[in-house]
Amino acid sequence: MAVAGQFSGMKIGIIGSGNVGGTLTRRLQALGHEVTVGNSRGPETLTPLVAETGATPGTARQAAESGDVVVIATPVRAVPDLPADALRGKVVADASNYYPRRDGQIGPIDGGEASSRWTSEHLPGAAVVKAFNTIQAGHLLAGGLPAGDPTRIALPVASDDPSAKRTVMSLVEELGFDPIDAGGLDDSWRQQPGSPVYTTDRDAAGVRDGLSEARR
C-alpha cells in the first residue's frame, strides 16, 4: 500500500458516510489528510466513524466548505440538494452511481447523458471528476498495493479539467491503485454500472481495454 504522507496535508471534504464515503474517510484520514465528513442526517450520526478515524464531523455544507477536494458519495438523487455554492471552485470527485431503482428515473441519464455530466450541470463552477465509483468498498479499504505490483487494481478517472483530474489521480495513486485517464465527463459513461470496468478489479491494461470495449 502507498506510504502514508506521500501526498499528505490536503483538506478533503467527504459528503456521504456510507460504504464508499466511510471507507474514503478511513483511508484518507489515515494517510495524513485533514478530512471533514458530512451527511444529510447531521453530525451526531457520525460519532462512530469520527471516533474510529479522527476525522471532523460536519454537515454536508461544512464538508463542502472545508475541502480543497470534496468527494460526493451520495445517491445520485441527492445531487440537486448539494450545497452547489459551497462547491464552486472546488475539485469535486464524484463517486456516485446511478441506480434507477434507488434514485428514481432521471430522464437525461436514462437518455444517455453520463451521470457525472448531469451532476456537473447541478454544480456550476465546480471541477467535477468521476472517480472511485468502480470499486467495491471492501476492496477500496484493503486492496491497495505498491506501484508496480502486477496484481494492482486500476481505477478510471474522467474529467474535463486536466488539473482537477491530476489531483484526483494523485489520490488514487496514494491509496494504492493505478489511476487511468478515462477522458472527459462525456466519456465517463464507460465506467458506469454495467460497464466492463465496473467492480471487475482489472489491472491498468485491463481497464484501458474495458473502457474501449464499453458499449451503450
Side-chain angles (χ1 to χ4, degrees):
M1 200 171 290
V3 177
Q6 186 178 358
F7 298 98
S8 62
M10 293 179 65
K11 293 183 177 181
I12 299 177
I14 298 179
I15 301 176
S17 57
N19 290 337
V20 172
T23 296
L24 286 172
T25 299
R26 293 177 177 91
R27 293 291 322 276
L28 293 170
Q29 183 76 17
L31 287 168
H33 297 291
E34 185 178 332
V35 176
T36 298
V37 57
N39 61 22
S40 61
R41 295 172 291 135
E44 65 278 2
T45 66
L46 299 167
T47 300
L49 180 61
V50 168
E52 175 189 346
T53 63
T56 300
T59 62
R61 175 169 290 278
Q62 288 168 332
E65 291 174 342
S66 71
D68 300 314
V69 176
V70 181
V71 179
I72 299 171
T74 66
V76 173
R77 67 171 185 268
V79 166
D81 297 324
L82 294 174
D85 58 320
L87 293 169
R88 186 179 294 273
K90 302 291 182 76
V91 175
V92 175
D94 177 17
S96 299
N97 286 305
Y98 173 54
Y99 300 111
R101 289 186 180 181
R102 178 196 63 189
D103 297 311
Q105 302 296 143
I106 298 176
I109 302 177
D110 291 338
E113 183 173 64
S115 65
S116 285
R117 173 62 69 196
W118 184 84
T119 292
S120 74
E121 291 165 356
H122 285 80
L123 303 177
V128 175
V129 183
K130 188 69 168 181
F132 304 119
N133 74 299
T134 59
I135 186 170
Q136 296 177 26
H139 298 182
L140 182 60
L141 179 66
L145 292 168
D149 189 296
T151 63
R152 201 184 202 207
I153 297 169
L155 302 180
V157 181
S159 180
D160 297 338
D161 186 306
S163 177
K165 185 187 291 185
R166 286 194 297 271
T167 296
V168 175
M169 290 177 81
S170 76
L171 290 174
V172 172
E173 174 68 41
E174 185 182 8
L175 288 163
F177 304 96
D178 282 332
I180 303 300
D181 190 330
L185 284 186
D186 289 332
D187 300 308
S188 64
W189 64 268
R190 296 178 180 275
Q191 64 194 78
Q192 291 178 173
S195 71
V197 302
Y198 184 69
T199 68
T200 53
D201 290 349
R202 296 188 178 202
D203 63 11
V207 166
R208 292 188 182 97
D209 288 344
L211 293 170
S212 297
E213 294 163 1
R215 299 291 182 269
R216 292 186 186 274

